[in-house]
Amino acid sequence: MKKGHTHEVLVNIFGNDYRITSEDIDEERIKKIAEIVDKKMRDIHREFPLPSTTKIAVLACLNLVDEFLQKEEHLNKRISELEQRINSLILRIDEVVT
């Protein structure tokens, strides 16, 4: 299998540079993700000034996953509400048509 050209993006997270390489990379998306991770780590460090960068990274990861799960639950609840509403509308249309 022939490989394509490898792209590279340099990001800085919590004072450390990381070189992200991939054949299929969305540079703007990688930079945006790095900014979110950097901000979360800095927020946690400001609130809990831990000496360990690893612990700050783990807390940042836990917080980001928690935020993701909350948004996913909210989205799933909203989808369920919309499905119920659509089903109700279909029933009402069926009643009118028949």
Side-chain angles (χ1 to χ4, degrees):
M1 178 179 210
K2 185 178 178 181
K3 293 188 174 188
H5 180 70
T6 300
H7 299 276
E8 180 178 292
V9 178
L10 182 65
V11 296
N12 186 290
I13 300 173
F14 205 62
N16 294 301
D17 290 332
Y18 296 92
R19 191 175 311 278
I20 312 294
T21 59
S22 174
E23 290 182 17
D24 183 21
I25 196 166
D26 181 338
E27 183 175 341
E28 292 306 313
R29 185 175 175 87
I30 296 295
K31 286 181 178 178
K32 184 176 180 180
I33 292 168
E35 286 176 14
I36 291 168
V37 172
D38 181 64
K39 181 182 181 320
K40 183 59 73 180
M41 288 183 70
R42 291 184 187 284
D43 289 348
I44 288 172
H45 181 65
R46 205 172 8 262
E47 192 172 343
F48 307 103
L50 300 168
S52 167
T53 302
T54 302
K55 288 183 179 180
I56 292 169
V58 169
L59 286 174
C61 182
L62 290 170
N63 277 271
L64 289 168
V65 171
D66 183 50
E67 290 172 11
F68 169 79
L69 290 175
Q70 286 180 21
K71 288 181 181 179
E72 184 180 55
E73 289 168 6
H74 175 75
L75 181 62
N76 286 336
K77 182 180 176 186
R78 186 71 180 132
I79 288 171
S80 178
E81 291 170 354
L82 290 172
E83 286 174 344
Q84 288 177 354
R85 188 168 178 202
I86 289 169
N87 287 334
S88 174
L89 290 171
I90 289 172
L91 288 174
R92 290 175 66 187
I93 291 171
D94 282 347
E95 289 173 3
V96 171
V97 172
T98 56

